[in-house]
Amino acid sequence: MTGGERLSLSVTPETCAGTGVCTFYAAGTFELDDDGRVSIVDEHGDPDDDIRNAVEACPTRSLRLGPSGGGRP
Amino acid sequence: MLDEIAQLDPAMIRTLFDTSGQFRRSRSGGDYVENFHTDLRLARESGPVHVGSVEEVLGAVDPEHPLPYPEPVYSAFSFDTVNTVFRDPETYTSDAMRGTFDTFGRNILAMGGAEHARYRAVAQPVFARNMTQWWIDRWIAGITDSLLTRFERRGRADLNLEFCALLPLLTITGSFGVPMDEALRLREHIEQMISAGTERADRLAASAAAADILLPVIARRRGDPRDDLISKLISESVVDEHGTRHALTDDDVLAYARLLLTAGSGTTWRQLGITLWALLNNPDQLDAVRRDRSLVRAAVEESLRWEVTDPTFFRLTAHDTTLGGVDIPAGSRVALCLTAANHDPSRWPDPDRFDIFRRVKPHLSFASGPHVCLGMHVARAEMSVALNAILDRLPDLRWDPDAPRPVLMGLHMRAPSDLPVVFG
Ligand code: HEM
Ligand code: SF4
């Protein structure tokens, strides 16, 4: 992160396979619903490093950290 | 449960789980006790991808067991190349494991694409992270307690045979509802079923013998469901390729059961042993974990990163491709060296050092992509419950000063030769 710019977190539940890798690395940020699909409970629910680990490790690339303001329509 | 555990045949436990014994050595590449990490570093330093198998690159081919692969073989040693392969199942398929269809039945390990996704979704809910407490309460905590009760007042133990070997096996067989007195026989059949050195007819016979133990359990649970794994699998349905939903057949459940026994009982046994071995060899780190249990998680993750018990997995290339600058033709076998990837110095400084205080970064010990380990949350729960209980109940745990120091051994499966400890 440069210049204090905040990154925004987005998820794609359609491709999520319910592995729970993200909730292992960042349990305060991500949550799975009854169908095992990911959602965000708190965008800053864990230290940044933990959230980055979750995003990087998601085996289906269903998590994204990008510059804020460019969220899905 | 104590009485049932007392009935388990110690000679059979030794045969199946003594890493330095004849039976295990023949299966795990057990004669390899060289400095694995140095060998892998030298391989990685000369390029991320090599022509030849991991054994060939390390110069460790067993002359009595030359490599069985008819196709050309390549090996990947860097984090980026191994990660790329796991995440690109269209180029690098799990057809490499198709041989298991014969003995396990049609199972998710070797499936691909939509079929894999449909069948994996059947078992994902019971292995979800929010089911961890269910696994702990129903099996892991009670088995851990019983195993420790058997020797905690003795002041010494072989933690490999008396503890590490039994916890994962009894957890998975317990979750199936298989009686404890059949657990070791089931493990023996599974060993025979997957043994590369065994004739096909004998492997098929072992697969049938495993079914003889499992089918009666499946039949009982169909009539009278319980709160266990087989009942949950039976209650799930799968969508077939025409979009029709149907219940799992006995063959579907059997294939899952054989896979779960294979994937879930040997791996966690050896990984827990590696964790204890590494901590016992680093008494300052063991002491830190003993005092601050929030470090248990870091100890388990560092053990997985530093020395994953199954260091090599395979894929087949569906078309010509290039990996790490090396051209690989269609139909090649690609060996993925997880340990080398987990020691990539571009991600982990001083990677060969076991250090529970290093910053956590995702490793590849549970793979990645669609086949990422289904049992990872159960495996982690077994290892952390075990480590906590051992530290609670075996005070001042240390190596037995009268026994030779065990070594880590095995090329295909890594594990400590044994774990002789004293305490109290
Ligand atoms: C420390 C222990 C364990 C390690 C290091 C481990 C590692 C792995 C790895 C690397 C894979 C990927 C295989 C591939 O991509 O070809 C895998 C898959 C699998 N593991 Fe584990 N595993 C462990 C424990 C368990 C346990 C306890 C279970 C079940 C109770 C389990 C069940 C499975 C299953 C069913 C698959 C196949 C998943 C699929 O193909 O979609 N594993 N494991
Ligand atoms: S890690 Fe990815 S696939 Fe797994 S549950 Fe989280 S979002 Fe879904």
Side-chain angles (χ1 to χ4, degrees):
Chain A
M1 234 185 273
T2 51
E5 175 198 354
R6 289 230 75 122
L7 294 180
S8 76
L9 190 59
S10 60
V11 301
T12 316
E14 295 75 16
T15 53
C16 166
T19 62
V21 169
C22 54
T23 48
F24 171 74
Y25 285 112
T29 305
F30 301 102
E31 175 179 77
L32 301 187
D33 65 17
D34 289 345
D35 294 329
R37 304 288 174 150
V38 67
S39 62
I40 297 171
V41 265
D42 175 357
E43 198 164 330
H44 306 290
D46 295 279
D48 283 356
D49 276 350
D50 294 348
I51 298 176
R52 272 173 214 281
N53 280 346
V55 170
E56 190 208 331
C58 170
T60 60
R61 294 207 178 91
S62 302
L63 310 176
R64 199 166 292 278
L65 258 181
S68 44
R72 287 187 292 165
Chain B
M1 175 160 9
L2 267 175
D3 293 346
E4 283 176 300
I5 291 179
Q7 303 296 318
L8 296 175
D9 176 6
M12 197 159 167
I13 297 175
R14 179 167 293 280
T15 302
L16 291 172
F17 295 103
D18 178 6
T19 301
S20 57
Q22 193 52 46
F23 178 85
R24 292 292 334 155
R25 288 168 86 107
S26 68
R27 280 166 165 72
S28 57
D31 292 333
Y32 180 87
V33 287
E34 264 71 16
N35 193 340
F36 194 39
H37 297 165
T38 305
D39 289 355
L40 293 177
R41 180 168 54 75
L42 294 173
R44 193 186 333 89
E45 279 172 2
S46 59
V49 175
H50 289 251
V51 177
S53 67
V54 173
E55 293 85 341
E56 284 168 331
V57 174
L58 300 192
V61 179
D62 177 352
E64 288 185 16
H65 301 97
L67 297 166
Y69 311 121
E71 62 277 350
V73 185
Y74 296 79
S75 305
F77 291 92
S78 71
F79 185 89
D80 283 344
T81 53
V82 173
N83 195 27
T84 298
V85 171
F86 275 136
R87 286 166 178 273
D88 182 0
E90 266 135 49
T91 307
Y92 303 96
T93 75
S94 291
D95 287 356
M97 278 79 71
R98 278 286 152 121
T100 62
F101 280 3
D102 223 15
T103 42
F104 293 45
R106 207 172 169 88
N107 70 87
I108 58 169
L109 183 69
M111 289 179 187
E115 185 190 26
H116 172 266
R118 285 188 277 110
Y119 272 88
R120 170 139 178 162
V122 171
Q124 187 66 66
V126 69
F127 286 96
R129 203 172 109 87
N130 64 9
M131 289 296 280
T132 308
Q133 202 57 45
W134 182 82
W135 284 90
I136 293 175
D137 293 345
R138 300 196 51 78
W139 296 289
I140 300 171
I143 295 165
T144 299
D145 174 54
S146 298
L147 292 173
L148 286 171
T149 301
R150 285 166 49 78
F151 57 76
E152 71 181 333
R153 278 189 288 280
R154 199 198 299 151
R156 60 185 345 113
D158 176 359
L159 287 181
N160 179 44
L161 295 182
E162 296 188 271
F163 190 87
C164 298
L166 297 176
L167 172 61
L169 176 65
L170 297 179
T171 297
I172 197 78
T173 54
S175 76
F176 286 174
V178 167
M180 211 178 274
D181 60 2
E182 289 186 314
L184 289 174
R185 267 203 309 129
L186 192 51
R187 172 79 196 169
E188 193 179 33
H189 296 320
I190 295 291
E191 284 276 8
Q192 182 81 351
M193 182 184 86
I194 60 175
S195 158
T198 302
E199 293 295 324
R200 179 165 178 271
D202 293 334
R203 285 187 284 115
L204 289 174
S207 163
D212 289 342
I213 296 177
L214 293 164
L215 278 172
V217 180
I218 298 171
R220 278 202 298 279
R221 293 300 186 269
R222 283 203 191 276
D224 178 18
R226 303 254 186 95
D227 191 20
D228 64 13
L229 178 61
I230 296 288
S231 306
K232 284 191 190 291
L233 287 180
I234 290 168
S235 72
E236 295 285 338
S237 54
V238 63
V239 182
D240 68 19
E241 64 267 44
H242 313 296
T244 329
R245 197 167 267 285
H246 65 78
L248 287 198
T249 63
D250 282 358
D251 282 343
D252 291 335
V253 180
L254 266 181
Y256 246 122
R258 293 195 190 96
L259 172 62
L260 291 168
L261 276 161
T262 308
S265 59
T267 44
T268 317
W269 150 48
R270 295 185 301 270
Q271 195 69 48
L272 178 55
I274 290 166
T275 310
L276 290 164
W277 187 91
L279 288 171
L280 284 158
N281 279 334
N282 291 277
D284 49 330
Q285 297 187 45
L286 178 64
D287 219 45
V289 181
R290 185 184 287 121
R291 285 196 310 267
D292 176 3
R293 298 311 172 77
S294 69
L295 292 170
V296 163
R297 174 179 159 117
V300 168
E301 288 314 295
E302 177 66 352
S303 150
L304 284 161
R305 180 199 73 83
W306 182 73
E307 188 79 271
V308 61
T309 178
D310 289 7
T312 315
F313 285 81
F314 297 98
R315 294 293 188 263
L316 289 182
T317 47
H319 51 77
D320 293 355
T321 188
T322 306
L323 183 69
V326 175
D327 291 332
I328 302 182
S332 301
R333 174 172 292 259
V334 182
L336 307 172
C337 189
L338 306 190
T339 318
N342 288 339
H343 286 237
D344 194 320
S346 66
R347 271 175 84 81
W348 290 280
D350 197 5
D352 295 353
R353 197 179 125 71
F354 177 83
D355 178 5
I356 64 169
F357 296 106
R358 67 170 74 240
R359 211 169 66 119
V360 171
K361 292 203 108 193
H363 52 70
L364 291 172
S365 298
F366 290 124
S368 188
H371 291 274
V372 69
C373 179
L374 179 70
M376 70 172 94
H377 305 302
V378 175
R380 282 174 168 136
E382 287 178 304
M383 293 189 277
S384 17
V385 168
L387 201 49
N388 267 310
I390 285 171
L391 294 174
D392 285 341
R393 291 173 60 176
L394 310 180
D396 197 16
L397 183 74
R398 59 206 184 274
W399 287 126
D400 181 344
D402 299 329
R405 278 294 167 86
V407 291
L408 288 185
M409 57 196 296
L411 184 55
H412 320 304
M413 298 177 203
R414 304 280 292 162
S417 46
D418 63 346
L419 290 170
V421 295
V422 294
F423 41 87

